[in-house]
Amino acid sequence: MVVPRRGISVRRRLLQLVLLHTAWEVGSSQLHYSVLEESQHGTFVGRIAQDLGLQVSELVPRMFRVVSKGHGDYFEVNLQNGVLFVNSQIDREELCAKSPVCAIHLEVIVDKPLRVFHVEVEIADINDNAPFFTAKEESLFILESRTVGSFFPLEGALDADVGINAQLNYQLSPNEHFMLDFQKSGDNSLGFIIKKSLDREDIPVHRLLLTAFDGGQPVQTGTVHLVITVLDVNDNPPVFSQPVYKIQMLENASNGTLVAKINATDLDEGINKEISYSIRSVTPPKLSTIFKIDPSTGQIRLNGELDYEDTNSYEIRAEATDKGGYPLSGHCKVLIDILDMNDNVPEMLVTFLLVPVPEDSSLGMEVALISISDKDSGANGQVNCSLWPPRLPFKLVSTFKNYFSLTLVEPLDREQVAEYRMVVMVRDEGTPPLSASSTLVVPIGDVNDNAPIFAQPIYTVFVKENNPPGAHIFTVSASDPDVAENALVSYWLDEKLWPLSSYISVHSESGKLYALQPLDYEELKLLEFQVRAKDAGLPSLCGNVTIQVFVLDENDNVPAVSGLAEDTPILLKVPVAAGHVVGKIYALDADSGYNAWLRYELHDASSGSWRVGLYSGEISATRALEEAEGSNIQSLLVLVKDHGKPVLSTTATFSVSLVPSAQAAQSDARLSRTGGSIKPLADTANLYLIIAICSVSSLFLLVILVYVALRCQSQAKEAMVYGPGTATLVCASEVGSWSYSNRHSHILAGVSGEAGAKNDLMVFSPSIPVSVENGKQQDLLCVTVSDTVLKLLL
């Protein structure tokens, strides 16, 4: 510390003062320094970094900074060595007036982690102000009849310093009639006493010099000239009823309020008894006009506005003077104490605010620092701080006196609450209490803590076969409650189990699914795969959904008659009875359902001798044929049609020759050797084709009832698992009947499952979503039945 140029004794005293105030108090969180006022720029105050336990090398990285609340930049810290020094001269009297303790509070803030230290620098007074009197000359009038020992009060000097620098002593210039009387105890009464009788004829006027000395080093002095006029005759001065009046007033007292009524009496008679009151002085002098007195009544009234925070006490020196030819005076003091009123609203300042707050922030993190102040005193200056609304993941923690930190006490979730608006309310303990509030907005920063999710775990899509390459068949969409890149979702196919790139593709941004090639129901009936969704956060999170693509059959295959040999006629012996079945045509259709349900018709409906079963393909005679009609070969053209839209058909030629009985035996033997596809009525199983179709319809209704019962018992929906194997897809078409395809199905699944044909009956609920093509929604109800079950049924 640099010591001003005041002498060796001053240096010793200041050294002791510095050693006393720079030591840490045990258990205190405040650092205390002391520095002299008027110290020059650069004056050493203390090694603040070392005293706070900080390394000099970390001051800059941790953004070491010093904040002085409301007192300007009187101090700075050298970040190169961690020394606190004086930045600008400090006038203690201007800063703290007559306050016995003058200190500047500093906040030292460092980041990473955030810490706040409180440093108090006491401004030590130096003797830089000389005592002064309010007037350079004071006139006194004293009757010559006053006795030895009579006391006459004098107006004391004032000193802007404090402590020992403001402790005054007085000295009166040497004379033989008066002696100084100064009592340091009590009210510091100052005056002089007559030590020798006065004689106006000898000395009518006495001129003395009163000198005031302060207790500082070096000593400062001030003087006033006393002009004492010796009066004659009127020897009884006015006397006040009490020498000191003590008054208490509220600071909100209105202008004109009666402060006090002083009263003095005079033992003289006549005009010498009439008294006039006046105010000689008011301390502090700058407020000398704030009071006025009625000269006749002695009533002192308020002539302005009081402010406890500016001045909390006044001293009025009043005088009572009689109206004698040589007026005499009496004196008294009026001491006024101002009582504090709760007239200052608490003030709040947010000195630090960390926003946005990441939602994964640890508990106990300080989000904001708040300082509270109230200019009032006592209970009026004591404040409480609270948050509204009460249910918040934050709370206020008192750190030092009226300093609070907003601390995180509960986990955050931005997806639940993206921003907190809170009101910080401060309230003092005055009567009535005053309060203030400030709104804090704390946004929550997003972290990637939510994976993309789909609306449902499985989607079922129906696509007609023979679709154009690149056709859009479905769109998947996943949502992510995060924001920005954490919610930016991209899609791709999971091909770990099955290579799907030749069948299906997905647009990475839109989630649209495309069929890369035409699908053939006769080759592929089901594609089951997974689409994954990934966000763009760090690290990224994924979700997946299962897609089941069912290929719907179209009538794209013409019925085919198998193994028919036109050059091998059927030889029948005559006679032939009406209704006699002579053979049956076998035809197959590679399609499924109604597209594979065949019907048979004669091309020439006028062939009166023969007819063909509409669905059985059995050819029978419509009338009895006699032997007379033998050796006639009749060719029948049979038209085979399916039930698809449009209808596809083919033709088959059936030749019948009637021969005598002897030739019929030979033709039967030859027919058995040819192995042709036109067979006799012995193949009785095919007669029940219609019965089988009706059985399938009945079985379907039974399965639907069982399925509904199972759905009512189970809450969870089980996803179907397929593997490569054989199955038959049986669908209810828009016509309303049932059919089946005897062709084996190929099912390609993107999830693991048992290979081979299924031995159970699987039903897809009518509530499953279906694809929309050509602007029409396809409402289908499908049953997959194993080949073994169908064979048993048919």
Side-chain angles (χ1 to χ4, degrees), residues 222-281:
T223 60
V224 61
H225 291 277
L226 303 179
V227 178
I228 303 174
T229 303
V230 180
L231 302 178
D232 197 16
V233 187
N234 188 17
D235 56 355
N236 287 292
V239 177
F240 283 95
S241 58
Q242 57 190 77
V244 178
Y245 294 84
K246 294 184 178 181
I247 306 297
Q248 289 184 333
M249 290 189 66
L250 296 175
E251 65 170 326
N252 63 345
S254 59
N255 190 12
T257 300
L258 177 64
V259 178
K261 184 179 185 305
I262 58 177
N263 182 52
T265 58
D266 195 316
L267 297 178
D268 292 328
E269 295 293 336
I271 195 172
N272 293 331
K273 190 176 182 178
E274 295 181 6
I275 297 174
S276 177
Y277 299 95
S278 63
I279 295 177
R280 294 193 60 186
S281 65

Side-chain angles (χ1 to χ4, degrees), residues 201-216:
E201 287 74 19
D202 185 16
I203 304 176
V205 177
H206 297 265
R207 299 184 182 277
L208 305 176
L209 182 65
L210 178 62
T211 303
F213 303 87
D214 63 20

Side-chain angles (χ1 to χ4, degrees), residues 692-703:
I693 294 175
C694 295
S695 300
V696 171
S697 301
S698 301
L699 178 62
F700 168 71
L701 294 177
L702 176 62
V703 169

Side-chain angles (χ1 to χ4, degrees), residues 6 44 134 158 186 193 230 318 323 329 335 379 396 530 577-578 695 746:
R6 301 295 186 183
F44 173 86
T134 57
L158 301 176
I193 298 174
V230 180
K323 298 181 179 180
S329 300
L335 302 179
L396 288 172
Q530 284 192 341
S695 300
H746 181 203

